Amino acid sequence: MSNEKILVTQSSMPPYEEYIEAIKPLWDSHWLTNMGMYHQELEEELKKYLDVPGLSLMVNGHMALEMAIQAFGFPEGAEVITTPFTFISTTHAIVRNRLEPVFCDVKLSDGTIDETKIEDLITEKTAAIVPVHVYGNVCNVEAIQKIADKYNLKVIYDAAHAFGVKYRGKGIGNYGDASIFSFHATKVYNTIEGGAVTFSDHKFYEKLYNLKNFGIRGEELVSDIGANAKMNEFCAIMGLCNLKHIDEAIAERKKRHACYMERLANVEGISFFEKKDEEDSNYGYFPILIDGSGEKTRDGVYEELKRHDIYARKYFYPITADQACFRNKYRNVKLHNARMLARQVLVLPLYEKLDMEKIDQIVKYI
Ligand SMILES: *Cc1c(COP(=O)(O)O)cnc(C)c1O
């Protein structure tokens, strides 16, 4: 077959004419950013789609997480319990807020933070928990909330992978004190670059508004010390366009997900993360675990696919705690499961337009 490169994902885009038509009014208005009408419209639409009471659009998912953490005003040096089995952004957002990450191991079953190990890590300095719904796998939100309530901690979910995921019929952004989403080009839903914070406390909207727009509240009034993290109108329009097609995109992903699952179900040495019954997935990723008991190791499969121009990804390897910038800097915690998953995991290509025949090919090479 063709020699085209197959990457782990491909950005969703609306039909060209649809986007061009949608951005035309910007040439009349000359209003390109600063919380314009499309920014406002997208906030409203996303609140509906994500089924959340409050939402603030941001320039990207990382800044959404930085701002969400900053909005709580934790004292400098306070400890934040988090997972190392994630994209580096999660840990960066904590450290860049001058807080101390305390890594907690994850569960082998779904890669999310092991809620049974959180309590042992709590000290007088603990201020928050930052778990990740990794690959859209829902954390044990009930148990985490119970711990947070008992010790008076805030919970901020990194839901960057979980756009459109529901748990017990509720949008995933309703859990914890706040959640962040990423609308990066590589995610299930994109605004080219973009992100959002979701929350239920309405005061939070004002705080985030200040943080994302220099704290400017009037022509001559700056009431808060803010950064610049607002989304521009071109991105907001991309978001409005992509939102029209998101259900269809997720349905297409679901078909491909099922196709992989069926073909890989009985392959020796390969296993999968578990999903909870009460969880509605967005089929954002197709991670497999290769334990090395079969013919090839994870790295062997990765290389074999690469030889055929198929670029699977070792998400997330190494774990963030082992990255050069963080290694041996923070409290030494046993992270056996996280490291094991990082050695075994391979994310296979999955996107709405991925050829079904390509999936057969990928499976054959595996
Ligand atoms: C993508 C991602 C982010 C950062 O989002 P950006 O929009 O790329 O800034 C944060 N956390 C996780 C887990 C991610 O995958």
Side-chain angles (χ1 to χ4, degrees):
M1 267 176 77
S2 66
N3 288 325
E4 64 177 317
K5 281 187 182 168
I6 299 288
L7 305 182
V8 73
T9 192
Q10 185 187 72
S11 301
S12 298
M13 294 171 86
Y16 175 73
E17 291 74 19
E18 191 179 318
Y19 184 66
I20 295 304
E21 201 52 43
I23 61 175
K24 268 185 186 156
L26 296 181
W27 267 259
D28 298 326
S29 70
H30 291 257
W31 192 291
L32 306 185
T33 183
N34 285 10
M35 278 64 81
M37 63 179 281
Y38 297 103
H39 179 284
Q40 292 171 37
E41 190 180 336
L42 185 58
E43 281 192 344
E44 291 311 311
E45 292 298 319
L46 286 174
K47 262 199 279 190
K48 278 187 237 157
Y49 190 82
L50 294 173
D51 173 35
V52 290
L55 180 143
S56 179
L57 271 184
M58 294 280 169
V59 67
N60 57 50
H62 178 79
M63 289 310 287
L65 188 54
E66 274 202 32
M67 307 269 107
I69 294 171
Q70 194 181 354
F72 288 101
F74 302 123
E76 187 170 337
E79 294 176 356
V80 176
I81 297 171
T82 188
T83 165
F85 187 61
T86 180
F87 181 49
I88 198 71
S89 166
T90 316
T91 310
H92 281 342
I94 294 166
V95 174
R96 288 173 50 79
N97 268 294
R98 297 175 181 260
L99 302 168
E100 176 109 356
V102 176
F103 297 108
C104 180
D105 207 0
V106 299
K107 290 171 290 187
L108 293 175
S109 58
D110 65 7
T112 65
I113 194 164
D114 186 343
E115 64 278 1
T116 66
K117 293 180 179 153
I118 293 176
E119 251 182 298
D120 281 347
L121 299 173
I122 294 173
T123 70
E124 246 128 65
K125 288 170 74 187
T126 308
I129 309 172
V130 175
V132 179
H133 301 301
V134 68
Y135 315 116
N137 295 347
V138 175
C139 297
N140 189 335
V141 290
E142 289 100 351
I144 292 170
Q145 195 56 53
K146 233 180 231 165
I147 296 166
D149 290 343
K150 181 168 166 194
Y151 294 93
N152 198 20
L153 308 175
K154 299 292 182 196
V155 183
I156 304 154
Y157 282 104
D158 181 338
H161 296 175
F163 186 86
V165 170
K166 287 197 164 142
Y167 179 63
R168 292 186 192 271
K170 277 207 308 195
I172 197 67
N174 288 291
Y175 296 92
D177 296 280
S179 297
I180 73 94
F181 292 86
S182 164
F183 309 147
H184 185 257
T186 55
K187 301 296 204 291
V188 166
Y189 166 77
N190 84 79
T191 61
I192 309 172
E193 290 261 10
V197 185
T198 63
F199 45 85
S200 51
D201 180 353
H202 284 283
K203 287 194 296 287
F204 221 67
Y205 187 83
E206 299 305 318
K207 182 65 191 170
L208 289 168
Y209 190 100
N210 287 346
L211 288 176
K212 76 179 177 188
N213 191 35
F214 308 105
I216 296 173
R217 299 311 300 221
E219 239 175 272
E220 297 180 4
L221 176 66
V222 175
S223 64
D224 202 351
I225 307 166
N228 180 2
K230 57 197 185 287
M231 180 182 283
N232 71 63
E233 294 288 87
F234 285 86
C235 290
I237 290 175
M238 188 69 161
L240 288 165
C241 290
N242 274 336
L243 199 56
K244 292 201 183 100
H245 305 283
I246 185 68
D247 288 334
E248 193 189 312
I250 291 175
E252 290 299 320
R253 284 172 171 278
K254 183 177 180 177
K255 278 189 218 159
R256 286 153 181 80
H257 197 280
C259 185
Y260 267 129
M261 207 61 188
E262 197 188 299
R263 285 161 177 69
L264 289 172
N266 298 311
V267 179
E268 201 188 319
I270 294 182
S271 61
F272 309 93
F273 286 116
E274 287 166 17
K275 293 263 181 201
K276 296 182 176 65
D277 291 338
E278 307 91 332
E279 178 174 332
D280 293 329
S281 180
N282 63 7
Y283 306 95
Y285 298 89
F286 195 82
I288 63 173
L289 298 165
I290 304 171
D291 65 13
S293 69
E295 226 173 282
K296 276 207 155 77
T297 60
R298 186 273 308 269
D299 288 356
V301 174
Y302 169 83
E303 292 298 337
E304 178 68 21
L305 289 173
K306 207 163 156 182
R307 256 196 296 286
H308 293 95
D309 263 341
I310 293 156
Y311 295 83
R313 292 295 303 268
K314 302 178 201 174
Y315 287 148
F316 291 97
Y317 174 84
I319 59 170
T320 69
D322 290 343
Q323 279 293 356
C325 57
F326 295 133
R327 204 165 38 213
N328 301 325
K329 273 203 173 159
Y330 302 109
R331 202 188 315 165
N332 189 10
V333 177
K334 282 205 183 82
L335 300 171
H336 181 75
N337 290 351
R339 288 196 181 95
M340 186 151 111
L341 290 181
R343 276 196 308 272
Q344 295 190 357
V345 75
L346 191 64
V347 176
L348 302 181
L350 178 65
Y351 44 89
E352 60 190 284
K353 298 216 163 96
L354 178 63
D355 252 332
M356 291 290 203
E357 282 131 64
K358 271 287 170 198
I359 296 181
D360 286 332
Q361 250 188 343
I362 292 167
V363 168
K364 195 183 81 191
Y365 298 141
I366 290 173

